[in-house]
Amino acid sequence: VDVEAVGGRRKVACFHSLCKMAGAVAVAVHRQRAMEQREARKQFMEDQLRMNRYFTKYDKTNEGTLNKDELRALLKDLNDGVEATDDEFNYVFETADKSRTGDLSFGELKIALCTFKTYQRSKPFIDSVMHKYDEHKTGRLEFGDLKKMLTDIGGAEPSDEAVADVLERFGAKAKAKLTSASGGAETASDAQEDGIPTTQTVHAISYWYTHPKAVQDDEEGLERGASNKNQVETAGKSGSVCGGCCTS
């Protein structure tokens, strides 16, 4: 028996087998990509049709845009007849109105619906936070509420300056101007104003995790903070306006 010849034939057979496998994989990948492209085109067309239906139904002025009253009506219908609060509506509208015209175009409406759906997905988590920390049931986290929440997140009480920084960034009307009390100006403890609305709660918590003053030295606080951070990430991937949801 010619051992070398047998070995050569085996190598050739093995090579042919590998080529067939590679070809099969390439075909499978091509089919998968083609299927994903078809699904993407299908989803795009469905989104376009859905948006067209929204404009046909809610654009009462026939101007090719939706004003605030028309958007309110749309969001109410999408929310099972429950009207969005002023905070929720303003958050959605201001996020979507990129042109700052006071009306939403076709593309801007899509952003509005993405924003609203992402917020709704986070709502159970937000409600649990507000139930625990909104002491006066105002629908907003005031200075004291916020400080308590950030203390629980980090495991140690933050400074008034750190709390005021978060309040200034995410509060509805918070100014939080930190000056000396002797000057008679507003101090950190006075900077409550309207506090942080529900629409900014997740953003405020996410910011706190990247804030230098949020880093604590005790291990127990860090573990508790990591656990809370996972809850925030699960709540709706905060920081993303759309999150891939769009108009369903």
Side-chain angles (χ1 to χ4, degrees), residues 189-207:
S189 60
D190 296 324
Q192 299 183 22
E193 296 245 1
D194 285 356
I196 295 179
T198 58
T199 52
Q200 293 296 326
T201 302
V202 173
H203 297 292
I205 295 173
S206 297
Y207 169 76

Side-chain angles (χ1 to χ4, degrees), residues 39 48 94 130 169 233-234 241-242:
E39 288 297 319
Q48 295 297 101
E94 291 170 7
M130 300 304 292
R169 291 173 182 273
E233 292 174 345
T234 303
V241 171
C242 176

Side-chain angles (χ1 to χ4, degrees), residues 116-155:
F116 188 63
K117 184 174 181 181
T118 301
Y119 170 74
Q120 289 297 95
R121 190 169 59 234
S122 305
K123 198 68 165 60
F125 171 77
I126 294 172
D127 288 343
S128 68
V129 170
M130 300 304 292
H131 177 75
K132 183 174 182 179
Y133 297 105
D134 181 14
E135 182 179 357
H136 301 107
K137 305 306 175 186
T138 62
R140 301 188 179 187
L141 295 179
E142 299 174 349
F143 188 92
D145 305 328
L146 180 61
K147 188 169 187 176
K148 183 178 179 181
M149 182 186 73
L150 297 181
T151 299
D152 288 349
I153 289 175

Side-chain angles (χ1 to χ4, degrees), residues 96-105 108:
D97 186 18
K98 302 298 184 181
S99 62
R100 296 296 182 260
T101 60
D103 297 299
L104 300 188
S105 64
E108 290 173 334

